[in-house]
Amino acid sequence: MQRTLKFIHIATSAAFLGSLAAAAALAVAAARDPAQLPALRGAIAWVLWRVSVPAVLLLWVSGALAMLSRQAYMDARWVWVKLVAGSMAAAVVMVIAAPAADLAADLARRAATGQPVGAALAAALAREALWTGVAAATGLAAMALGVWRPRLGGR
């Protein structure tokens, strides 16, 4: 069971961080080609909702179950810090970044039809970029803790 949980945890970690990298690459492409802005913003929202959110949920659940399966993990402080970082990444993606991507996609479609949404679109893009970056940073921090496994005081 522990090997299965570890495999799921590692695979979903790659899927989560890979999806955030894909969203960032799509954002760069959208900035370079305004004619494709609505399609690319829609693709970013799709990636965040259909890949990032399920991956981070499965990542969090597999990590929590792995933590509960071994007393050594329950006693290690780095595991608790990793749990907090993973929880932050999950919350940021689900509550802030993915909804901001939806809003940006909707505003990009409106802008393509000629509606004056420039300021709102710029704000939505900035919010999505900021919080997707925060999710990536906390996800990378959690991954680093899993590889490094520092003592963090105590035993």
Side-chain angles (χ1 to χ4, degrees), residues 59 96 139:
L59 177 64
I96 303 172

Side-chain angles (χ1 to χ4, degrees), residues 16-77:
F16 174 62
L17 292 172
S19 68
L20 296 180
L26 288 168
V28 169
R32 290 184 180 163
D33 188 2
Q36 294 296 318
L37 185 66
L40 291 171
R41 298 298 334 156
I44 292 168
W46 188 93
V47 166
L48 289 177
W49 280 114
R50 300 293 194 287
V51 182
S52 298
V53 169
V56 79
L57 288 173
L58 192 53
L59 177 64
W60 192 90
V61 168
S62 66
L65 290 174
M67 183 179 165
L68 292 171
S69 71
R70 294 187 63 194
Q71 186 62 41
Y73 285 153
M74 295 290 290
D75 295 337
R77 291 182 180 165

Side-chain angles (χ1 to χ4, degrees), residues 80-107:
W80 290 96
V81 175
K82 183 174 166 39
L83 177 66
V84 169
S87 298
M88 287 173 50
V92 164
V93 166
M94 290 185 299
V95 176
I96 303 172
D102 274 346
L103 177 61
D106 180 54
L107 291 171

